[in-house]
Amino acid sequence: MSSPTGTSARPHVVIVGSGFGGLFAAQRLAKHDVDVTLIAKTTHHLFQPMLYQVATGIIAEGEIAPATRIILRKEKNIQVLLGDVFKIDLEGKTVTHRLLERITETPYDSLIVAAGADQSYFGNDHFAEYAPGMKTVDHALELRGRILGAFEQAELSDDPDERAKLLTFVVIGAGPTGVELAGQIAEMSDKTLKGTFRHIDPTEARVILLDAAPAVLPPFGPKLGQKAAKRLEKLGVEIQLNAMVVDLDYDGLVVKEKDGSTRRIESQCKVWSAGVQASPLGKQLSEQSGVELDRAGRVQVLPDLSIPGNPYVFVVGDMMAVDGVPGVAQGAIQGGRYAADAIIAGLRGQTQEQRKPFSYFDKGSMATVSRFSAVMQVPLPGTKKKFETEGYFAWLGWLALHLVYLVGFRNRLNTLVNWFFAFSTKGRTQLAVTEQQVYARSALGALSDLEKQSIPEVEARVSGIPSTKADAG
């Protein structure tokens, strides 16, 4: 087991996760009188709201996943480490993480946990093999391969039933991600792929959006939800509500209706966007501090985003449960900045009792439905009312907002060029797929199982080996 070393005696802040919460916290702490170590299990900062555009060939993954080291290379007080954090010791004030067989223990004076969330299959984790989620670059690339691969297989088939199964795409979950993905699959099959095959007609592809809830886009309210549903139906998307998925396999899924009856949908390409589950690190924090978790595993933090008995351990982003704060990028950004400001203020003598509670500023919500169509909901300052709109104006607003939050001028420029090409010509520049993208899941799954089996052994090794807790500079 290794331990980061350094000569600085300055306070050491450890940040777990390189998403919006972790990255913006690190940038807030840059050039202050602290040393910062950012630990993440990926080498990039992912702009997750645009993953569906990677999956449907509009933009390249590099444009929404720039390297974290490159983003922070000018911040000399920040060190970036690659590793999967599997243990947080609140009493010993250490974080233990693993990269392959290398185990590293990093001490901290302050800790910001922004490890995010993964897809939730509501206790049916075996569904993941047949219906990938939309939480990582790997998911998006795998899904792109599955979508395009379904068309390629259908082109080779002479069996009408098999063709119908291959050309049926099911998106499970009618939230923003599900709506965006269903709309893009419909547009890609109807516009981009039209005329590119000789034995099948891609425009005859069947796209189904289903959800156990009774409405599309529930957080946006009935008015905007109905607008989005009508636009999707105009694109040819079949919307099936009050339909709960109770079983999944390679060739299709079983749906339970509201009246208790079940039916089967034959489909080889399925996508899951129906729920989220916070990082298991939240459970560790709960066991050690007594902080409560909600049903999704999120930590019910104190008003200053810390946990009981640990005034300098903060939980932000998709891992925190705060009333009125949705699991969106803005909540993570504001939470990360707040935690960083609290640490800086603490260095200047502010006590926990003197901290102002975290206050979330709701900048609104947006979701694209298709080319030139989106829904937008923005709170009116000083009132409880919200401005709601849909269509072309909302779509322009979505484009502008997401360009602003992309990291790096070149990424913004490349994305803008790809958008112009995709939306003006109906073509897409990112339609290359590889066999590894589609089939790597099984190999990664086997590796993950081995890693999970080794965690108790690793923890035993860590607890049994004395370690000098050195400052990280």
Side-chain angles (χ1 to χ4, degrees):
M1 181 179 67
S2 61
S3 178
T5 58
T7 58
S8 173
R10 296 191 301 182
H12 184 210
V13 182
V14 170
I15 300 173
V16 179
S18 59
F20 286 106
L23 179 65
F24 278 77
Q27 290 177 326
R28 197 76 150 196
L29 291 165
K31 299 181 177 63
H32 282 277
D33 194 25
V34 294
D35 290 316
V36 180
T37 300
L38 188 151
I39 308 168
K41 58 183 178 181
T42 67
T43 61
H44 55 261
H45 162 70
L46 178 61
F47 192 75
Q48 204 173 82
M50 288 172 62
L51 268 178
Y52 78 95
Q53 294 198 4
V54 174
T56 53
I58 296 176
I59 58 177
E61 64 271 21
E63 291 161 13
I64 64 166
T68 311
R69 291 186 181 279
I70 301 300
I71 299 171
L72 298 174
R73 63 181 169 185
K74 293 183 179 180
E75 314 303 343
K76 300 305 181 182
N77 68 325
I78 299 177
Q79 178 186 26
V80 178
L81 297 178
L82 178 63
D84 186 7
V85 173
F86 65 89
K87 181 179 179 181
I88 295 176
D89 183 353
L90 295 179
E91 183 178 355
K93 302 183 73 172
T94 61
V95 169
T96 307
H97 40 106
R98 174 179 53 222
L99 176 61
L100 299 176
E101 295 300 317
R102 184 184 297 275
I103 307 300
T104 305
E105 185 180 86
T106 304
Y108 67 82
D109 296 302
S110 298
L111 175 65
I112 300 175
V113 186
D118 204 348
Q119 210 72 60
S120 172
Y121 290 87
F122 308 109
N124 299 293
D125 292 345
H126 61 286
F127 286 2
E129 181 179 354
Y130 310 110
M134 281 291 291
K135 290 295 181 183
T136 68
V137 170
D138 286 334
H139 288 158
L141 294 177
E142 179 184 3
L143 182 56
R144 184 200 296 174
R146 290 192 179 206
I147 294 171
L148 296 175
F151 286 102
E152 296 294 344
Q153 291 180 69
E155 174 78 354
L156 297 172
S157 176
D158 294 324
D159 184 344
D161 292 336
E162 184 184 29
R163 276 188 175 182
K165 178 180 68 177
L166 290 166
L167 294 180
T168 297
F169 302 89
V170 179
V171 180
I172 304 158
T177 300
V179 166
E180 291 167 341
L181 192 55
Q184 285 305 315
I185 294 174
E187 284 199 332
M188 182 169 64
S189 60
D190 192 49
K191 306 295 183 183
T192 306
L193 299 180
K194 183 179 180 180
T196 60
F197 293 88
R198 298 297 172 260
H199 295 98
I200 62 169
D201 182 0
T203 65
E204 295 179 356
R206 184 184 180 197
V207 182
I208 301 173
L209 175 66
L210 61 83
D211 200 304
V216 171
L217 294 177
F220 286 78
K223 180 182 176 181
L224 291 181
Q226 290 171 10
K227 292 282 188 181
K230 288 181 179 179
R231 176 58 185 163
L232 288 172
E233 288 171 343
K234 189 175 181 180
L235 291 171
V237 177
E238 299 177 32
I239 299 175
Q240 301 179 12
L241 303 174
N242 295 307
M244 179 184 297
V245 176
V246 294
D247 197 13
L248 263 172
D249 56 43
Y250 182 80
D251 293 313
L253 62 159
V254 178
V255 176
K256 183 179 181 180
E257 303 286 7
K258 191 176 182 180
D259 61 7
S261 63
T262 60
R263 58 187 171 87
R264 181 175 175 83
I265 301 174
E266 296 294 328
S267 168
Q268 185 170 302
C269 186
K270 303 164 287 290
V271 191
W272 191 276
S273 62
V276 295
Q277 182 71 29
S279 165
L281 292 177
K283 184 178 180 182
Q284 291 191 28
L285 296 177
S286 175
E287 291 171 347
Q288 296 179 60
S289 70
V291 66
E292 294 184 0
L293 307 179
D294 68 6
R295 293 177 61 185
R298 297 178 301 177
V299 179
Q300 297 184 347
V301 292
L302 299 176
D304 64 351
L305 305 188
S306 69
I307 60 176
N310 296 268
Y312 287 97
V313 176
F314 302 89
V315 180
V316 303
D318 289 341
M319 284 191 65
M320 70 178 185
V322 179
D323 289 341
V325 182
V328 296
Q330 271 302 318
I333 291 170
Q334 294 178 35
R337 286 172 170 169
Y338 174 91
D341 288 342
I343 292 170
I344 295 167
L347 297 176
R348 297 168 179 166
Q350 185 186 73
T351 65
Q352 184 179 22
E353 291 72 22
Q354 294 173 321
R355 293 176 188 163
K356 292 183 179 180
F358 172 68
S359 178
Y360 174 64
F361 177 61
D362 188 357
K363 296 184 178 181
S365 303
M366 298 180 178
T368 57
V369 183
S370 66
R371 187 170 62 110
F372 305 144
S373 180
V375 294
M376 179 171 65
Q377 189 179 73
V378 181
L380 296 176
T383 73
K384 295 183 178 181
K385 297 181 179 180
K386 295 182 178 181
F387 169 73
E388 297 182 343
T389 186
E390 54 84 26
Y392 185 70
F393 176 76
W395 181 75
L396 289 178
W398 187 96
L399 295 181
L401 181 66
H402 285 67
L403 272 181
V404 168
Y405 283 104
L406 275 177
V407 176
F409 173 77
R410 180 176 294 181
N411 288 334
R412 296 189 188 104
L413 180 60
N414 289 343
T415 298
L416 190 60
V417 170
N418 281 329
W419 279 351
F420 176 80
F421 180 79
F423 301 139
S424 63
T425 69
K426 303 174 186 177
R428 301 176 188 231
T429 61
Q430 304 297 323
L431 296 178
V433 297
T434 69
E435 189 175 359
Q436 287 188 8
Q437 291 171 352
V438 180
Y439 296 109
R441 172 182 291 271
S442 57
L444 291 172
L447 177 61
S448 178
D449 290 341
L450 289 173
E451 288 178 343
K452 289 176 182 177
Q453 292 173 12
S454 69
I455 285 179
E457 179 184 346
V458 169
E459 290 180 335
R461 286 165 49 198
V462 170
S463 60
I465 298 176
S467 171
T468 302
K469 296 177 176 62
D471 293 327

